[in-house]
Structure formats: C-alpha cells, structure tokens
Amino acid sequence: MNTTPSIPLQPGDALLVVDLQRDFLPGGALGVPGGDEVVPVLNHCLALFERAHLPVVLTRDWHPGDHVSFAAQGGPWPPHCVAGTPGAAFAPDLAVPDAAQVVSKATLSQADAYSGFEGTALADSLRQRHARRLFIGGLATDYCVQATVLDALREGFEVVLLRDAVRAVDVTPGDGERALGAMQAAGAVVASHSQLGAPAG
Ligand code: VGL
Ligand code: ZN
C-alpha cells in the first residue's frame, strides 16, 4: 500500500547536508554523540532528492592547520577538519551523489564560520538553481546546523529541519534542544525524514 507522504518533494526543493565529516563522527577529533546515526537517514534523503532531480549541496568545515577556532590559537575546539586531511573527508558511509555540490567554509585562518552561507556563494548558487525550500540535516545541531538554518531563513529560504538527521554536541546539556527551539522560533519547520516522499504525479 502506498500512503501519501505528508511532505511531497516539489520543484524548488533542495537538500543541504551540513558538515557530515569524519572528525564529527564518534571517535573523531570533535566527535558528536550519535553523529554516525544520521548517515543512513541522510542517505535515504540523498536518494530521494537524486531520483527527483532536485539539487543536493554538502557543506564541509575546511580549516587551515592554524585555524583561530583551535585550542593552540586560543579557540574553543581541538584541531578538526583540517583541509585535505582524512578527518575532513565526508563520513565514509555517506553516499555522496556525483552531481552534489560541495561548499567549503571557514577556510581562512583568522575567521570561523559556523554557517554554510558565511563567506561562501551558497545563497546565490541555490537561487541560481531555483531553490526556495531547503531540507537541512547534518552536524552539529547546536553549531553549524543552527547557524546555517538561521542564515537560510534570513536569506529568504523556507527551511525544513530534519530532526532525525541531526545530532548535537551538547557542551552544556540541552544545547541541542534549545537550538531546535531557536530554529523553530525563527520559522523553520521541524519534520522527520520519514515524512518526505517523491513528488506527486
Ligand atoms: C562545527 C564546531 C566547530 C560544526 C564546526 O560543524 O557544527 N562545530 N566547527
Ligand atoms: Zn570547525
């Protein structure tokens, strides 16, 4: 039996996968608890968008070795996602489509950028591809996902945050839940990946 998905994909939709990189998986330099659990969920979404010929964009944290966010420079984080190193590679089990666009961010030593829109051509690139509604998942809920979602809304995109496709660092317990609340308050719709379906017709 085929049930109608509550959110059928439509022209103007795009999938944005945030920083699903080895260093953010458990055991990585900045491992996010349960970060590996979102890989199969996003693989399902990637296949759905590919079949529907809708745009897919993956952001990646892509730092120089002396990045300002690293502890040696006085920043809050251990070294992670150094450009070109194995830790900066996408999660090994992530099924990255050939047609996916990859956007590198936070590539300069002196500036951090949690949002995929910060210092990149992401907004223009999405508009060029006629994207209006972004489905967003990845890591981490309370840092790069939150910043990317809030910027997407400011840029005028509709946002569907895929709640089973994100995990939080939770430096302070509850950070992830608070981030979800802030994204919803700013206008993001929160949905499960299981609500997505092929375009009607
Ligand atoms: C991130 C901490 C440092 C993220 C990136 O992708 O959420 N978090 N750099
Ligand atoms: Zn980083």
Side-chain angles (χ1 to χ4, degrees), residues 7-10 12-15 131-135 157-160:
I7 309 181
L9 297 182
Q10 57 191 39
D13 287 342
L15 178 64
R132 291 184 302 274
R133 181 170 67 166
L134 308 183
F135 292 76
F157 297 100
E158 285 177 53
V159 173
V160 179

Side-chain angles (χ1 to χ4, degrees), residues 49-93:
F49 276 74
E50 247 199 318
R51 275 200 299 274
H53 304 290
L54 292 168
V56 170
V57 181
L58 295 89
T59 65
R60 60 183 183 186
D61 216 26
W62 200 248
H63 299 315
D66 62 348
H67 192 247
V68 64
S69 77
F70 298 172
Q73 278 66 243
W77 305 114
H80 63 277
C81 297
V82 173
T85 64
F90 289 120
D93 295 334

Side-chain angles (χ1 to χ4, degrees), residues 6 11 22 59 63 69 94 106 117 130-132 141 149-150 165 179 183 191 194 198:
S6 53
R22 293 174 75 131
T59 65
H63 299 315
S69 77
L94 188 66
F117 291 92
H130 310 291
R132 291 184 302 274
T141 314
V149 165
L150 296 179
M183 291 186 271
S194 61

Side-chain angles (χ1 to χ4, degrees), residues 63-183:
H63 299 315
D66 62 348
H67 192 247
V68 64
S69 77
F70 298 172
Q73 278 66 243
W77 305 114
H80 63 277
C81 297
V82 173
T85 64
F90 289 120
D93 295 334
L94 188 66
V96 180
D98 289 337
Q101 183 192 353
V102 175
V103 170
S104 303
K105 67 176 174 61
T107 62
L108 303 176
S109 296
Q110 295 307 319
D112 205 0
Y114 287 148
S115 163
F117 291 92
E118 204 177 327
T120 71
L122 179 57
D124 285 335
S125 158
L126 287 167
R127 279 192 273 267
Q128 256 165 37
R129 299 170 78 184
H130 310 291
R132 291 184 302 274
R133 181 170 67 166
L134 308 183
F135 292 76
I136 300 182
L139 303 173
T141 314
D142 37 357
Y143 293 95
C144 290
V145 170
Q146 171 170 235
T148 300
V149 165
L150 296 179
D151 269 357
L153 292 164
R154 278 192 281 268
E155 290 283 352
F157 297 100
E158 285 177 53
V159 173
V160 179
L161 187 277
L162 299 167
R163 83 169 151 254
D164 47 0
V166 296
R167 291 293 185 278
V169 181
D170 276 339
V171 169
T172 303
D175 280 354
E177 284 307 311
R178 280 187 289 276
L180 281 178
M183 291 186 271

